[in-house]
Every structure is written in structure tokens, then in C-alpha cells.
Amino acid sequence: MRNTFGNIFTLTTFGESHGEAIGGIVDGMPAGIDIDTDFIQSELNRRRPGQSHITTSRNEADQVELLSGIFEGKSTGCPIGFIVRNTNQHSQDYENMRCLFRPSHADYTYYYKYGIRDHRGGGRSSARITISRVVGGALAKLALRQLGITIQAYTSQVGTIALSRDYHQYDLALAETNAVRCPDPEKARQMEQLIEQVKAEGDTIGGIITCVIKNCPAGIGEPEFGKLHAALGSAMLSINAVKGFEYGEGFDGVTARGSQQNDIFLPVEHPTPLLPPFGRIGVGSNHSGGIQGGISNGQDIYFRVAFKPVATILQEQQTVDLDGQPATLKARGRHDPCVLPRAVPIVESMAAMTILDQYLASKTGKL
């Protein structure tokens, strides 16, 4: 089982949904970075359960404990170990699932591969494991601050309720002002109502998260098998419930002509102090999503991530038991009717770790 993400900046995770704790080890963190523990905790708070009426009611503080790799408020360059203790498990809610396979969950595949599974909340396959990703992502964001790189994700679609694909139309800071994390207040209200309706029916619903990376320097990524967009896609597709990834114009771009899609190079009126000719070159559009030939070109990197409806629904479903015999399952417990609001910081975290890892790989390992 592979539990490590990254090449230079790496995150190794451990823990299960109903175990003692979730944790991880971050290695390759550049030395001398100011470690803002309040910021790290605030990122976890954005992901934590029980934060609104449209998320799971599991009540966890998700308080992070940083164990190593930090001295007098700065990273030392040594591995940073951390844990977040589980304190509000209701394992008895899953007892009726001990011998049943939940539809569209990892129960069957885990059991088939390993011959054993933790039925309590999905064990290692639970979305609770993403706690470690958010801590790793928060540390990566702190390092990216020194480069001026910012990452902002938001809910752009729930069910059929969708925003325009053009993120320039919105004040992305408004995403943190509502429970859905959508920068359009009216659309956010509609999305929230839809999630409430779905929840009342014991059902779930999916949607799309859009992410925008600003100020990423040109030259990040490798040609051929180390393309930046491939690394971002791999990172996003590793998140629980993710079913699709597209960057730039994505699938919408297939209906256009090359003459419409090409990002035309233009001279810059006020060049930046870079080595010529790079400071004197700009583009008239950004259909490419900030990446060309697998390498960043200095424009905004933007992409969309599709999330399926949460697999656990509070309705009766037909399934089979461990012996393949027909059975009926009625799930209990506390579950999200829509994962998107809590997945926004997870998308940002995976993007941050990917960009930092790729940056360090393309430079010398130092900021």
C-alpha cells in the first residue's frame, strides 16, 4: 500500500477513521520557514466535521499536534511529524456493516485485495484520512507564501446549480463567507437549499470544485512524463470521491477551433526585470490554464475537480454479504450529504503540495 505523496516535498500518512489518531510525516520541508500554527489549525477547521448544518454532525476538534522538525517557530529542514487524535468515533453505528459490502465504497475492493478490512467508517479508505493532507498542504502553503504563490479553491457546482466557468467574474474571497464555499452568494443559497433537500431525503449529491493558482513562476514541470498538469491530475484523482479532472478549457475546448483556442503571445508594454526576452512577453488569453507542454508559463493555473455523490446514503440498498449472498443494507451513522464544502481545503492542499514539490524539483531544493 503506497502511503507517500511527492518526490522532494513528501507526505507519508497513517491512521484510520476509528483508530486512535490520524497523522503523518512531512519530509523535504525547506528550512527556515515561519511555521504559523494558528494558520495550520485554521486550515483543519475548514475541513473539520460538524462545521455547519450541511455537513456531517461528527463532532471532532481536529486539533493538530506538531511533534518534530520545528524549532523556535521555524522549520529546521528535518521531518515534521504530527498527529490529530480521533475523539468522537461511534463505531457501533457500523456494526451492521461488518459482514456487508456497501455499494460504491471501497469495502469490496479492500477485502478482495487484502483479505481483511476495517468496517468502522471505512477504516483507511475513509475521507477522514484527508486530515493529513490538509496539514501537509498547510505547511506547503506556508513555504509558497515566500514565493508569493496563492491557491484558492471554491465550490463552482452542486448538482445542476453551476457558476460560470470564468473565475474572473467572482470575488473568490467570498467563498469563505458561506457554508457551501461558493463565491456567488445567490448561487450559494440555492446550493445550500439543494443540499438540505437531498439530506432530508437521506440521499447525497456531488458537484465540482474549481481551483486557481496565482503567481506560479514559469518553468515548473517537466516535459514528457513529468508534466505539471499530470502531477496535478494525479494529486486530485487521489482524493476520495473524485471522478474527474480538467485544466484550462478542458473538455469544453474540444468544440473550438485552434484559431480560437491558441493563446497568442504579445509584447508587454512594461516589462518585468527578468532575463530577456521573458520579461517582455505576455499572452492575450489563457485557454491553456497556465500550462503548456507540461510546464508552467507564468499565467494563472486553473482546473476543475468533479466529485461524485457520497456513497453512504441513509436509504435501504441491495447488496451482498461476505459470502456473496443477497442482503439489504440500511446505513447508520453521521455522513455528509455533499462532500464539496469540506473538500475545498483538501483540493487546495493537494495543489499546494504538488506545486511546492514540483518547484523544489526544478530548482535546488531551497526557496
Side-chain angles (χ1 to χ4, degrees), residues 110-132:
Y110 266 58
Y111 188 74
Y112 190 91
K113 183 176 180 66
Y114 299 107
I116 187 173
R117 70 181 176 94
D118 184 347
H119 66 281
R120 304 166 303 165
R124 183 70 175 157
S125 68
S126 169
R128 184 155 178 78
I129 308 306
T130 58
I131 283 174
S132 298

Side-chain angles (χ1 to χ4, degrees), residues 154-185:
Y154 61 93
T155 299
S156 55
Q157 183 169 342
V158 173
T160 59
I161 303 170
L163 303 187
S164 162
R165 293 172 63 95
D166 184 3
Y167 63 90
H168 295 97
Q169 296 183 24
Y170 306 101
D171 178 359
L172 301 189
L174 293 178
E176 293 299 315
T177 64
N178 57 73
V180 188
R181 293 200 162 90
C182 170
D184 183 319

Side-chain angles (χ1 to χ4, degrees), residues 4-333:
T4 299
F5 173 83
N7 297 290
I8 307 299
F9 179 93
T10 66
L11 169 68
T12 302
T13 73
F14 64 84
E16 296 83 34
S17 178
H18 287 230
E20 290 297 318
I22 308 296
I25 297 175
V26 168
D27 205 357
M29 180 72 172
I33 303 298
D34 291 327
I35 303 300
D36 185 343
T37 55
D38 289 339
F39 172 74
I40 297 172
Q41 187 59 52
S42 71
E43 291 291 275
L44 279 172
N45 292 345
R46 296 172 68 210
R47 195 225 68 96
R48 69 179 292 272
Q51 60 184 272
S52 78
H53 64 286
I54 59 171
T55 63
T56 173
S57 60
R58 180 169 175 169
N59 185 19
E60 296 273 8
D62 285 355
Q63 191 72 38
V64 66
E65 302 174 37
L66 299 173
L67 306 176
S68 63
I70 300 167
F71 180 68
E72 294 183 342
K74 293 184 181 293
S75 59
T76 64
C78 299
I80 298 176
F82 63 88
I83 59 170
V84 173
R85 299 184 187 277
N86 294 324
T87 61
N88 192 234
Q89 311 96 307
H90 287 182
S91 298
Q92 67 276 8
D93 289 343
Y94 296 87
E95 192 57 35
N96 67 322
M97 304 178 193
R98 177 182 288 273
C99 297
L100 301 179
F101 295 123
R102 294 172 296 172
S104 285
H105 267 282
D107 297 351
Y108 172 73
T109 51
Y110 266 58
Y111 188 74
Y112 190 91
K113 183 176 180 66
Y114 299 107
I116 187 173
R117 70 181 176 94
D118 184 347
H119 66 281
R120 304 166 303 165
R124 183 70 175 157
S125 68
S126 169
R128 184 155 178 78
I129 308 306
T130 58
I131 283 174
S132 298
R133 300 175 183 227
V134 173
V135 176
L139 289 166
K141 283 184 178 181
L142 291 174
L144 293 176
R145 276 183 185 178
Q146 296 200 187
L147 300 171
I149 299 173
T150 63
I151 299 172
Q152 172 76 65
Y154 61 93
T155 299
S156 55
Q157 183 169 342
V158 173
T160 59
I161 303 170
L163 303 187
S164 162
R165 293 172 63 95
D166 184 3
Y167 63 90
H168 295 97
Q169 296 183 24
Y170 306 101
D171 178 359
L172 301 189
L174 293 178
E176 293 299 315
T177 64
N178 57 73
V180 188
R181 293 200 162 90
C182 170
D184 183 319
E186 176 55 29
K187 290 287 189 180
R189 184 187 64 80
Q190 296 174 24
M191 291 174 179
E192 188 170 339
Q193 289 177 342
L194 177 57
I195 295 172
E196 288 173 339
Q197 175 190 335
V198 167
K199 181 180 180 180
E201 296 169 353
D203 216 333
T204 61
I205 196 163
I208 293 173
I209 289 174
T210 297
C211 186
V212 182
I213 304 172
K214 290 183 174 291
N215 302 321
C216 181
I220 306 304
E222 300 292 333
E224 197 57 22
F225 299 116
K227 291 180 169 64
L228 180 56
H229 59 266
L232 286 167
S234 177
M236 298 306 143
L237 289 165
S238 75
I239 301 172
N240 306 55
V242 168
K243 287 295 185 179
F245 169 84
E246 63 175 1
Y247 75 103
E249 290 296 307
F251 288 103
D252 273 12
V254 303
T255 60
R257 306 289 179 90
S259 57
Q260 298 169 310
Q261 282 285 296
N262 286 348
D263 296 320
I264 304 301
F265 291 108
L266 300 169
V268 174
E269 184 176 351
H270 301 290
T272 56
L274 299 175
L275 291 175
F278 306 113
R280 300 195 297 267
I281 296 176
V283 292
S285 59
N286 187 20
H287 300 298
S288 301
I291 302 171
Q292 294 170 326
I295 301 171
S296 62
N297 65 4
Q299 303 300 309
D300 290 352
I301 297 171
Y302 62 94
F303 57 86
R304 290 154 48 94
V305 186
F307 285 79
K308 71 172 184 175
V310 176
T312 300
I313 63 174
L314 302 182
Q315 298 178 7
E316 282 194 356
Q317 297 183 88
Q318 297 304 305
T319 187
V320 297
D321 62 19
L322 299 183
D323 297 318
Q325 298 301 308
T328 300
L329 171 67
K330 177 65 181 292
R332 299 193 295 266

